[in-house]
Amino acid sequence: MIIRIDYKLYDELAAYAREHLPEEACGLIAGTEEDGERFIKKIYYLENIDHATDHFTLDPKEQMSAIKDMRSLGLKPLGNWHSHPESPSRPSVEDIKLAFDSKASYMILSLMAKEAVFNSFHVEKGEVTKEDLRIISDEYYY
Ligand SMILES: [Zn+2]
């Protein structure tokens, strides 16, 4: 699975996640899907109702209004994202246990090193596969 995100959206997400340190930040991703490629068009910033440094729970009400917003914009829910303040950019044991949707992309931003690391994963029956995440710049296209 190729998954593309504009660097401006990515920068925003990374800045938001840093603002929320030491807690994990989280949200949803929406966009389009064509020929097995995903294009992230919008990132939703949701409250981590656990306010924890090592796990997250999305606010169910905010989740519903985000889904409504996606529908109104004609976007597809593509999965979710969260940050790992102090661990690598890969799903934790808990993340894998809670990854029920094999169609979703699970994106994880690690802030443990100076340079943030962002990866996207597919999780199916406890098996984790890294997706081909590409952070793109307008300049390549115009
Ligand atoms: Zn996690």
Side-chain angles (χ1 to χ4, degrees):
M1 172 75 70
I2 295 174
I3 175 156
R4 299 177 197 275
I5 180 170
D6 189 278
Y7 78 100
K8 282 180 211 140
L9 285 183
Y10 167 69
D11 278 355
E12 252 175 51
L13 183 148
Y16 176 92
R18 284 189 204 281
E19 275 165 29
H20 284 74
L21 286 172
E23 292 180 6
E24 284 196 9
C26 55
L28 297 174
I29 53 170
T32 55
E33 189 169 0
E34 227 177 299
D35 305 324
E37 288 196 16
R38 290 180 165 180
F39 206 122
I40 298 175
K41 295 281 171 70
K42 190 161 180 183
I43 292 179
Y44 293 85
Y45 298 95
L46 274 55
E47 186 182 345
N48 175 2
I49 57 175
D50 295 333
H51 293 286
T53 59
D54 58 355
H55 58 99
F56 75 99
T57 303
L58 298 168
D59 181 320
K61 270 192 205 145
E62 286 182 355
Q63 222 171 332
M64 278 208 305
S65 62
I67 300 284
K68 263 189 211 159
D69 186 69
M70 290 173 201
R71 284 199 191 118
S72 74
L73 296 170
L75 299 177
K76 204 180 150 158
L78 297 178
N80 67 42
W81 69 273
H82 70 284
S83 66
H84 277 176
E86 283 161 22
S87 56
S89 172
R90 57 169 183 261
S92 65
V93 173
E94 192 192 11
D95 291 335
I96 296 168
K97 217 188 294 170
L98 297 173
F100 298 114
D101 187 357
S102 65
K103 289 192 183 74
S105 291
Y106 292 95
M107 307 187 82
I108 298 175
L109 178 81
S110 171
L111 297 171
M112 71 183 290
K114 202 172 163 207
E115 198 78 14
V117 180
F118 197 37
N119 285 308
S120 185
F121 301 91
H122 169 87
V123 184
E124 192 163 0
K125 296 182 188 120
E127 288 277 317
V128 177
T129 322
K130 203 166 149 183
E131 296 179 328
D132 182 359
L133 175 64
R134 301 181 188 182
I135 297 167
I136 57 164
S137 157
D138 290 347
E139 286 133 49
Y140 299 138
Y141 291 91
Y142 299 109

